[in-house]
Amino acid sequence: MAGAIGLMAAMMPGQAAAEGKIRIAQQFGISYLALDVIRDQKLIEKHGKEAGLDIDVEWATVSGATAMNEALLSDNLDIAAAGVPPALTTWDRTKGRQDVKMVAALGSQPNYLLTTNPNIHSLKDFGPSDRIAVPAAGVGFQSRTLQIEAARIFGKDNFQKLDDITVSLPHPDATAALISGGTEVNSHFSSAPFYYQALQGNKAVHKVISSYDILGGPATFNVLYATTAFHDKNPKTYAAFYAALRDAADWISTHKAEAADTFTRQQKSKLSPKLVLEIINDPENDFSIVPKNTFVYASELYKIGVLKNQAGSWKDYFFPEAQGDAGS
């Protein structure tokens, strides 16, 4: 929230960016690698100049989808970044008003549900004394993914069955808890690099299930999204941004060592270069901007009542530029 307040203070309140200016926010983590590359190589500025437009790019780091959305919907931000479920919730709640839609995926990376409890091998094994840490209990990417699986196992009316033992805790703190084994938190639904660290740091930690298992295969983790007003009123700026995304994704696929170095520099990461490169090279992770399996979220979250609007396909909540690819 402090990050969002700082972002808002640095901008003209309530003033949407004009053509030739774009304000982008991201969160922490390697899933935002494409944005690190864009920023490092000034790709938006490059594509703007090719189109005869000087683009002023403002970057901010905002922690959490709630603060991100507040900045976006108050016209203090143009491009937001968050997990697919929070982005879908924003699409759902702004339909007919700001009409927020998704710009592109930021790649597919799994989240692992980890535990130190040797008796847990599925969601059915969790008991009242277990505690599952997630960044945003009840509403974030990890909680919504758990709710989809809980509805499948326990029935639609019990989709929140695990919410009672879910607690909000930042990924670094939850990872430290699993490695030390000295707190009530014995489980963690974790993204990269944190599940790598937990599995390597404590032999008692094991995987219960992956988000890929729940969604039926590789699936987009985080997405970028914007209001329809920004998309429609700034066609050249938007086109330059989208072209920059394509360039970044293509470059990462062929320059993995350099991409690891870019991540470390841009995010001032203290992770070992070896681990960063291991994550980028992991075949489970990709950094494509093409959406994958996002409609599973749209469909399942509608069934359990989290979303009020039913999407006919993934194209209903993505802008047209993304629809030329073989997304899902």
Side-chain angles (χ1 to χ4, degrees):
M1 184 63 72
I5 292 171
L7 171 66
M8 293 177 192
M11 300 174 178
M12 291 293 290
Q15 297 296 312
E19 185 82 282
K21 182 176 181 179
I22 187 169
R23 301 161 300 176
I24 306 163
Q26 69 181 84
Q27 301 187 53
F28 297 99
I30 202 161
S31 64
Y32 298 96
L33 178 59
L35 296 182
D36 295 330
V37 171
I38 289 172
R39 187 174 188 172
D40 194 62
Q41 299 184 14
K42 298 186 181 302
L43 295 177
I44 300 170
E45 294 90 335
K46 170 193 167 187
H47 283 285
K49 287 180 180 178
E50 290 174 355
L53 183 67
D54 288 327
I55 300 177
D56 178 21
V57 183
E58 293 185 8
W59 294 91
T61 302
V62 178
S63 181
T66 300
M68 192 81 70
N69 289 339
E70 287 179 357
L72 180 72
L73 299 179
S74 60
D75 284 335
N76 290 298
L77 179 64
D78 302 310
I79 304 291
V84 175
L88 278 168
T89 301
T90 308
W91 163 77
D92 183 59
R93 293 177 180 175
T94 62
K95 199 170 179 64
R97 299 195 297 275
Q98 295 98 330
D99 284 317
V100 169
K101 290 188 177 183
M102 299 181 205
V103 175
L106 282 174
S108 300
Q109 299 93 28
N111 279 228
Y112 283 9
L113 177 56
L114 306 175
T115 187
T116 57
N117 186 337
N119 298 316
I120 294 177
H121 301 286
S122 76
L123 263 61
K124 293 180 180 179
D125 298 326
F126 282 95
S129 62
D130 294 304
R131 292 294 179 270
I132 304 171
V134 295
V139 296
F141 173 93
Q142 291 80 9
S143 276
R144 294 303 190 198
T145 306
L146 281 178
Q147 288 169 357
I148 288 172
E149 185 67 3
R152 185 177 295 129
I153 294 174
F154 305 112
K156 185 176 73 171
D157 292 340
N158 296 309
F159 76 93
Q160 294 175 304
K161 184 176 177 65
L162 296 175
D163 285 12
D164 289 342
I165 61 169
T166 302
V167 296
S168 294
L169 198 64
H171 282 314
D173 296 339
T175 302
L178 258 62
I179 292 174
S180 69
T183 73
E184 68 171 359
V185 173
N186 64 352
S187 306
H188 179 205
F189 207 171
S190 176
S191 63
F194 303 104
Y195 65 79
Y196 291 87
Q197 294 173 307
L199 289 167
Q200 293 172 8
N202 184 349
K203 292 182 179 179
V205 175
H206 67 274
K207 182 177 76 170
V208 179
I209 197 169
S210 161
S211 59
Y212 283 6
D213 299 326
I214 295 170
L215 299 169
T220 297
F221 177 22
N222 289 316
V223 291
L224 300 166
Y225 51 104
T227 63
T228 293
F230 176 77
H231 172 273
D232 292 352
K233 293 178 181 179
N234 302 277
K236 290 184 179 180
T237 304
Y238 188 93
F241 178 62
Y242 197 80
L245 283 168
R246 283 194 179 279
D247 280 1
D250 291 343
W251 185 83
I252 291 167
S253 68
T254 56
H255 296 79
K256 294 185 177 180
E258 294 95 325
D261 178 66
T262 299
F263 166 80
T264 301
R265 284 188 290 101
Q266 283 294 327
Q267 297 203 21
K268 297 179 174 60
S269 175
K270 296 180 180 178
L271 293 175
S272 73
K274 180 181 177 182
L275 177 58
V276 175
L277 188 56
E278 177 186 343
I279 294 169
I280 293 175
N281 280 325
D282 190 327
E284 281 200 315
N285 300 323
D286 82 66
F287 299 90
S288 168
I289 65 170
V290 179
K292 291 183 181 177
N293 266 338
T294 65
F295 191 66
V296 176
Y297 280 112
S299 176
E300 295 301 319
L301 292 177
Y302 174 77
K303 288 178 184 177
I304 61 178
V306 171
L307 301 180
K308 304 305 179 186
N309 291 286
Q310 184 175 16
S313 80
W314 68 276
K315 294 183 178 181
D316 287 354
Y317 47 82
F318 271 91
F319 285 116
E321 289 80 0
Q323 297 179 18
D325 296 312
S328 61

